[in-house]
Amino acid sequence: MNSSTRMVLSAALFIAALFVPQVPALQPYLTQIAFLWVMILFALTWDVLGGQMGYNSFGNILYFGLGMYATAVIQRDLYFTVEEYANVAGGEQAALTTAEYLFGLGLGMGTGALLAVIVAALLGSGILGLRGHYFAICTLGLGIAAGELASGWDYIGAGSGLVTPLLPDALGERGPFFYYVFLILAVIAFLVLRRLYAGQFGLAINAIRDDEDKAEALGLHTTRYKTVAWCVSAFFLALTGGAFGNLVIFIDPTDVAFAGPTFGVWMVLMAILGGKGTLWGPVIGATVFHVTQELFWTYLFGWQRVALGLLIVVVVVFFPLGIVGWMRERWPKRFGEVVDAEARKAQISLEGES
Amino acid sequence: MTDLLKIDRVCKSFGGVVANDAVSLSVPEGAIIGLIGPNGSGKTTLFNSIVGYHPIDSGSIRFRGEELSALRTAEIARLGLLRTFQQTRIFGKMNCVQNMQISVPHVGDSFMTMWRRFPPEVTERAESLLKFVGLYAKRQLRAEDLSFGQQKLLEFAMALMNEPKALLLDEPTAGINPTLINGLIDRLKRAHAEFGITLFVIEHNMRVIMNLAEYIYCLAHGELLANGTPEQIQNDQRVIEAYLGGH
Amino acid sequence: MGNLEILVEAPIFSVQLLLDGLLVGAIFALAAYGMALLWGVMNIINIAQGDFVILGGYVTLTLYNAGIPALAGVPVAAIVLFGVGWVIYRVVIFRVVDRDLFISILATFGISILLQQLMDQIFGADIQSAESGLGTLFLFDNQVTLGKVKLVAFGTVLVVGAALAIFLKKSRMGQAIRATSQNARAARIMGINTDRVYAMTFALNAAVCGAAGALVVMTWVIQPFIGLAYTIRSFMIVVVAGLGNIAGVVAAGLGLGAAEQFAAFLLGAEFQIGFVFALLVVILLLRNAVLKRKRQVLK
């Protein structure tokens, strides 16, 4: 597959995706399909650190929850006091005009993203100094600590959660509206990451993955690259979280916002399943996982997390390269890797002039 | 000639083991200086101290007049003082050209340059340096697929890509196919002559170092044992004893 | 922080908190000892460590519900978990021992999720505990209460810990384990069957966790989804104490137990788990900052 056919194919996929909400047969499933874009965003943003940079984070969910709460709180505080809102939340009385709603949502998501980037920059300079399993477990603690904190903080509803304003009627159903929001976000994230991976940034974080000490010995600003990578990831996750809260309407601190045991683990699994460190891997992994996961939830209710645990073990132990990684090993030429048997065997010579 | 690198009474010990004891030496600009000594004499420790891998206990290390001992590895590299590793280190999952591209000098990097694509000049230079070390045919292979000796050559090319003022080479010929050694010495000399890079070389292969260096320091038990031209070192009784007499 | 005044006005409360903390901290130290063993020998960080603890608790609870004294659960839980550990090693862990560290972290994470949900399905999501029926001691004019079972648990920790230490020091298997932890390749060359050593180590660690879990269910409560907190506690203790430092593990465990009791009292019990996880982040960052001065990093 050369780059132009790939481009045509991607464009066709995108146009098809645009028309999905118009298909009557898919109408009842629009929320589930919107979730697919969220999953893709999860996997893509996780892979920036986990796949491309070799820093396996269990704590990225922090930025998702942060964006979600920031958005919801701004939407609330723009037009209500905390007490008022507690009384009207979710009901007809809380209805906002279209302009109010969109302004609140936009401002909230923007602020949430900014906040997440700031937090990532502050935390990053310290936590990204840890390596290997220390980093993994530290970030695990980070995500859970955030959830516990949110559960105890009254201003954001503590353990009983927070309700977001309802989508005004003029904007139609929640399903199609957020379907487009997440579709656009996912496409932008994909394009931005593709551009970043193609330049110095991409090679620098790959170099950090392969040998961080060597990268430092060559004079790379490793801390800067690592922090920026986390900020990029945090930025898109916070935007996703902000919109996600409005899609599900009810924000629970540990089951929705800082849902480490579900979303937090899924991100990792989806990226690995698809093939970490590749651009399309997370997208494919998220798609495959989302479909499987829906089946789990439908047919294995109550046992779905047993199946999830099993799936993690099986994927990690037997299929660590992931789908795209496996295809790449099998058909390297299709991935633009030149594996010339001649080149591999070629004797190098340093005699004479070159 | 002015001193590019000046090391003054550097001490470094690990726990109770003294690895470097008041070592002083200097590397003049534009020279090729050798560093020899039996195993465990503190050569690599000295290299690590110079490039900031670990803090030194006392003494001073100056590069173009600037004190290095408080700086970190990456800052020192950006000043133009680079090292290669005894156990070769390259970026295994990236191909040779990518390994070269990311080795461009990073001294002027800012938040804006992070996002740039590599201009064609960089790729051209990468390929011409790969030609220089004989790896052009393998430029699209993943670095981990190269043999150890080839990785060593790649690492050398990456160092040249970084346009350093001085290069510290830790056993550049160890593990290299003997038929390539003469070619490698030639490349080292040409890097020195054509790119104007000052070389400071640890080497065990006496034939190589005598052929390459114009001035040699010899370490033993963490202390400077002798220094002089290759002829003086070859005839120095203390050096011969250190190598043959053991401890 | 309102409770700070209480501590100032009635210092005897501190004694109560300290005593409770130290006694529960001993159990943390036991689980951490197992983690350090596994980490040192196999270079694996077992995320399912805490779930082994909780599983040990449920084994004991099952006995207790059948009318058998809870204390008998300690050896039984250890034996059952030894078997569970052996099976998990034979099915999964042996495939990840020599691979990338993250693979083992994720694989044990998968096991952890699986065990949690299994326990939830089998034993229910309620908070449960086993009464020892040993009664309570009243100290300092009845101002400090102390369940006798906590003292028994403390004693049991000492016995189990000492038994494990002696096993590692004296027995042939123990020597093989220690040899493998120092240099697995050399051990293999010397004819040690490292696969058996690994299986034994993994199973032994699970057994230690099982015993710890039996003590937890007697002195405290268990619930299917709180295992991860025990994993994090063990990890933290090992990071602070370092591998192969028993005295350090005990000290760090007791310290953590006490710190948690005070934090729960001062911040409110709802923040206790949050405190544990936040403390982990802080400890790792501090540890790294100290190393950074020597231009090293935690890795």
Side-chain angles (χ1 to χ4, degrees), chain C residues 30 71 74 149 151-162 211 215 218:
Chain C
L30 189 60
L71 208 53
V74 177
V149 65
L151 288 175
V152 173
F154 191 80
T156 313
V157 167
L158 294 183
V159 171
V160 174
L215 301 175
M218 282 190 279

Side-chain angles (χ1 to χ4, degrees), chain C residues 16-29:
Chain C
Q16 174 83 59
L17 291 173
L18 192 66
L19 217 53
D20 281 344
L22 293 179
L23 292 178
V24 74
I27 304 178
F28 298 164

Side-chain angles (χ1 to χ4, degrees), chain A residues 195-196 198-204 206-222 224-225 228 232 328-329 336-340 342-354, chain B residues 53 73-74 77-78 82-83 85 89-94 98 101-103 106 109-111 113-118 131-135 137-138 140-142 145 150 153 155 158 162 179-180 183-184 187 190:
Chain A
R195 171 64 189 81
L196 288 184
Q200 181 160 329
F201 177 81
L203 281 193
N206 284 168
I208 289 169
R209 174 195 62 198
D210 286 357
D211 189 339
E212 185 166 349
D213 289 333
K214 174 71 183 177
E216 239 166 70
L218 281 169
L220 265 84
H221 299 77
T222 47
R224 185 191 291 170
Y225 281 107
V228 169
V232 170
R328 185 184 220 157
E329 293 291 307
E337 276 188 36
V338 179
V339 186
D340 202 341
E342 307 244 318
R344 195 169 299 220
K345 272 186 272 162
Q347 286 296 315
I348 62 164
S349 139
L350 285 174
E351 298 307 316
E353 295 308 304
S354 53
Chain B
Y53 255 60
T73 317
R78 291 195 289 269
L82 214 65
R83 66 90 58 95
F85 291 84
R89 297 176 89 157
I90 38 85
F91 305 118
K93 302 263 183 258
M94 294 157 61
Q98 290 173 325
Q101 284 173 328
I102 198 58
S103 305
H106 291 281
D109 276 4
S110 69
F111 275 98
T113 55
M114 282 176 80
W115 319 111
R116 69 168 181 183
R117 288 168 192 269
F118 290 102
K131 262 185 207 134
F132 180 73
V133 296
L135 285 175
K138 293 175 184 282
Q140 296 294 348
L141 290 185
R142 277 195 203 175
D145 290 341
Q150 292 164 356
L153 291 167
E155 192 187 25
M158 286 160 72
N162 205 272
T179 60
L180 293 177
L184 182 60
R187 292 302 182 276
R190 276 176 55 193

Side-chain angles (χ1 to χ4, degrees), chain C residues 113-131:
Chain C
I113 292 176
L114 196 152
L115 285 177
Q116 281 176 20
Q117 195 75 23
L118 272 180
M119 291 189 287
D120 182 37
Q121 287 290 331
I122 299 170
F123 304 106
D126 295 335
I127 293 177
Q128 301 185 61
S129 68
E131 281 298 321

